[in-house]
Amino acid sequence: MPLDLAPREDLIALGRLAGRRGFLWGTAGNVSVRRSEAHFLITERGTTLDQLDAQNLVLCPLRGGPGEPPEASSEIQLHRHIYQRRPDVRCVIHLSPLYTTMVACSDLELPTDLVPETVLYLGEIARVPYIQPGTDELGRAVAEALGEDRYVVIMTNHGAVTVGDSSLTAFRRMETLEFLCRMVVMAQAAGLTLRGIGPEAAEALRRSVYGSGNSFASG
């Protein structure tokens, strides 16, 4: 099946952007985009995301089994289960940025009403317990945690997954999540108590943005 250049270039640009933001280390992380109703494109196993080229991207069947194709990222089932459950999702990002991973290795709570961006981009953050990476069980658990209306999942002792209707939206969610985790970790270290705007103000903000037709937080 021939590939368009756009999905390949999208993933390559996404990897470069993650590198520039300092979200990468070693070969941790994997990203994908929905290619069609039957396929998605994912990064190759063992690649460094900020050094991707077209040869590091693998076309995968949406209905394939575990380990198919073998050259794809070990987290292929995580991406596959999300695309199967959520037809609205066009991009899946799994990264382990420093502060997000620190929170994933702790019991710190993440209030999402601290600043407008965390209200609009993150919504309710789901968490899943530690499950062996690269397993079908992990993929199913993350997809279930996302449900029909969540966009962010923290995987205990592992990192995070964000999704969106475009690669830019999914990445903005990852970037906002890392910013939030950094705020919470640094505030705790400094002995500060963070104050949110509260659920009523957060809901009013969401209504004002969604009601205006603004795509700022589109899924």
Side-chain angles (χ1 to χ4, degrees):
M1 180 178 183
L3 293 178
D4 294 336
L5 288 178
R8 290 178 178 239
E9 293 170 352
D10 207 20
L11 288 181
I12 291 171
L14 197 57
R16 301 284 195 276
L17 182 58
R20 288 198 297 272
R21 292 291 190 271
F23 294 170
L24 304 180
W25 51 272
T27 58
N30 34 82
V31 296
S32 69
V33 293
R34 190 186 293 270
R35 175 66 177 81
S36 68
E37 292 183 0
H39 294 84
F40 62 98
L41 198 63
I42 194 170
T43 46
E44 189 178 29
R45 181 184 297 263
T47 53
T48 303
L49 292 187
D50 60 353
Q51 298 178 23
L52 293 174
D53 60 35
Q55 303 305 312
N56 302 132
L57 307 175
V58 183
L59 185 66
C60 304
L62 193 61
R63 299 295 170 184
E68 179 191 351
E71 66 272 20
S73 165
S74 61
E75 297 289 7
I76 182 174
Q77 287 300 95
L78 183 152
H79 295 253
R80 181 175 275 144
H81 282 298
I82 292 173
Y83 288 127
Q84 288 176 354
R85 185 180 180 111
R86 292 283 295 272
D88 61 306
V89 167
R90 310 299 300 178
C91 178
V92 176
I93 299 176
H94 163 36
L95 297 177
S96 301
L98 177 59
Y99 287 94
T100 297
T101 306
M102 288 175 69
V103 170
C105 295
S106 75
D107 294 323
L108 285 176
E109 295 185 4
L110 292 176
T112 58
D113 65 341
L114 295 180
V115 295
E117 289 78 9
T118 58
V119 172
L120 295 170
Y121 281 129
L122 301 181
E124 181 183 355
I125 299 174
R127 287 190 185 236
V128 297
Y130 179 78
I131 301 172
Q132 189 71 14
T135 61
D136 189 67
E137 181 185 2
L138 177 61
R140 291 182 184 277
V142 171
E144 183 176 347
L146 284 170
E148 305 304 321
D149 56 3
R150 297 188 189 96
Y151 302 96
V152 181
V153 175
I154 289 180
M155 299 178 291
T156 300
N157 295 91
H158 193 168
V161 172
T162 59
V163 302
D165 63 355
S166 70
S167 59
L168 180 58
T169 300
F171 186 81
R172 281 175 173 168
R173 289 192 169 112
M174 183 64 72
E175 192 170 34
T176 304
L177 176 64
E178 175 69 355
F179 174 79
L180 174 61
C181 290
R182 184 177 180 183
M183 282 184 66
V184 170
V185 169
M186 293 182 72
Q188 174 149 319
L192 298 176
T193 300
L194 298 175
R195 251 193 338 263
I197 63 175
E200 291 185 6
E203 180 57 30
L205 176 61
R206 282 190 288 265
R207 284 200 307 270
S208 71
V209 172
Y210 296 149
S212 68
N214 193 323
S215 61
F216 180 66
S218 64

